[in-house]
Amino acid sequence: MGANTEKYAGYLFAYFKGERYEDGEQVYFALSEGNNALAWRELNGGRPVLTSTLGEKGVRDPYIVRSPQGDSFYMVATDLRIHGNGDWGRAVTTGSRSIMVWKSSNLVDWSEQSMVELAPEGAGCAWAPEVFLDKGSDVYYVFWASMLDGNDKGGNPEERYHRMMVSETNDFIAFSKPKVYMDYGYSVIDTTMIEDKGSVYRISKGHNIMQESGSSFYDPTFELINESVEQPHLRQGEGPIIFKSNTEEKWYAFIDEYVDRGYIPLETTDLSSGVWSLPDRYALPASPRHGSVIPVTQSEYDRLLQTYGG
């Protein structure tokens, strides 16, 4: 039964664990304790659920989106492996320009992995792909960060920094020609979005974790409403995740304090305010890195638990 007719009973967290571990750059799952978004159990005994066999044979930043009909899911992820080489310079300048894609009808049976080249020629990488579903249509906006030079603005070709790119698809097989989506004159990565009450909210990693609001995905006049979401709760952050509570008017932003504690959850009851607080208690999975959280129905929840165990 699809999400259109069944209430949500919990959340699925897809993530990777980091380059410190040999199998850390693969896809891991955790399941919330019912509708408690601040208590989690690792699935599959803490082992990867999906392992990359293509490209760099490492995947990071897995993002899951549910189809408009609620009966299928797509997962996209970064094609990147740092474990064993530690070469971030290569990853940024001559890394993979492709993303990885999987499809599922039930969150436990996944298709063969496919590799889609999305970043334009000359780009240094394609990082942290996410998906925004255009409301009322079946168009998916796939957006990610690519390292580009300054030629597109008549600048110095050696002034390379990350821009957010976008491409559109209906089926995750055919994609439109990528174009620049956000260019702030400095590196912006890890953008995540959510829609609420006719507004689209963007949270991105720029100089800090910034939150913006606009009237639509392509609104050219997004307004900055918080230039440092992580302050005063975290030192430095990246890899923001944003999702709505299944049971109340509350939103969660998980931010990776990569210099210290890892993912830290923040919450707000007014998304438009840009004001976030730190919960008194929380218990996230062990060592989660940049991923995504989606709501799941009771049947989906039970199936995940039955298949991957607690």
Side-chain angles (χ1 to χ4, degrees):
M1 188 177 292
N4 294 339
T5 55
E6 201 178 345
K7 287 184 178 179
Y8 290 131
Y11 311 87
L12 172 64
F13 190 177
Y15 56 95
F16 76 106
K17 285 194 173 183
E19 61 274 6
R20 290 181 299 165
Y21 311 99
E22 185 174 354
D23 60 355
E25 292 161 299
Q26 307 297 344
V27 180
Y28 293 78
F29 280 178
L31 202 58
S32 63
E33 298 283 354
N35 272 319
N36 184 353
L38 299 175
W40 297 85
R41 66 179 85 180
E42 293 182 75
L43 296 182
N44 204 35
R47 300 181 301 275
V49 170
L50 291 171
T51 301
S52 178
T53 60
L54 303 175
E56 297 195 2
K57 297 185 178 178
V59 284
R60 301 163 68 104
D61 323 312
Y63 186 88
I64 300 176
V65 62
R66 186 189 295 268
S67 70
Q69 297 76 25
D71 58 355
S72 60
F73 304 86
Y74 295 96
M75 183 190 301
V76 295
T78 305
D79 175 30
L80 177 60
R81 183 174 179 87
I82 293 295
H83 179 84
N85 63 76
D87 195 345
W88 284 105
R90 175 207 65 86
V92 170
T93 57
T94 59
S96 174
R97 294 188 294 112
S98 297
I99 66 169
M100 296 305 182
V101 180
W102 289 265
K103 184 179 181 181
S104 177
S105 62
N106 57 15
L107 295 171
V108 297
D109 299 305
W110 292 91
S111 68
E112 289 292 315
Q113 175 184 5
S114 63
M115 185 172 176
V116 181
E117 186 178 298
L118 275 190
E121 197 168 337
C125 54
W127 279 3
E130 290 207 8
V131 184
F132 186 86
L133 188 56
D134 191 17
K135 207 168 187 179
S137 81
D138 59 356
V139 177
Y140 299 89
Y141 302 142
V142 181
F143 52 97
W144 69 94
S146 279
M147 178 73 80
L148 302 175
D149 61 34
N151 280 333
D152 59 326
K153 283 196 166 185
N156 185 344
E158 295 181 2
E159 292 177 353
R160 292 172 66 82
Y161 57 91
H162 281 103
R163 277 78 144 186
M164 294 303 302
M165 309 292 294
V166 64
S167 176
E168 298 178 8
T169 185
N170 297 102
D171 54 11
F172 289 84
I173 298 172
F175 291 80
S176 66
K177 183 179 179 180
K179 58 187 177 183
V180 174
Y181 175 60
M182 296 168 63
D183 186 347
Y184 286 0
Y186 59 86
S187 282
V188 174
I189 63 173
D190 294 348
T191 295
T192 190
M193 297 188 210
I194 194 167
E195 187 173 13
D196 181 60
K197 299 181 178 70
S199 294
V200 175
Y201 296 92
R202 291 194 309 215
I203 297 183
S204 308
K205 165 65 172 177
H207 297 311
N208 297 295
I209 304 293
M210 59 181 173
Q211 181 181 349
E212 305 168 289
S213 65
S215 60
S216 67
F217 180 88
Y218 282 120
D219 184 348
T221 58
F222 267 78
E223 176 188 359
L224 181 65
I225 56 178
N226 188 338
E227 64 181 5
S228 187
V229 169
E230 71 269 41
Q231 298 297 330
H233 312 292
L234 290 76
R235 288 173 56 201
Q236 289 177 287
E238 65 179 18
I241 296 171
I242 188 169
F243 63 100
K244 189 181 187 299
S245 166
N246 288 342
T247 58
E248 57 185 317
E249 283 291 294
K250 181 182 283 189
W251 291 262
Y252 297 95
F254 290 3
I255 298 174
D256 185 2
E257 189 183 50
Y258 59 96
V259 296
D260 194 359
R261 296 171 291 177
Y263 260 126
I264 303 295
L266 302 179
E267 60 186 17
T268 185
T269 55
D270 182 0
L271 197 54
S272 66
S273 72
V275 177
W276 297 83
S277 61
L278 184 68
D280 292 332
R281 293 183 183 180
Y282 58 88
L284 270 58
S287 306
R289 298 292 305 278
H290 193 182
S292 57
V293 174
I294 64 164
V296 292
T297 65
Q298 188 67 62
S299 57
E300 291 162 351
Y301 187 100
D302 293 343
R303 188 183 303 117
L304 283 160
L305 205 53
Q306 182 178 9
T307 303
Y308 297 118

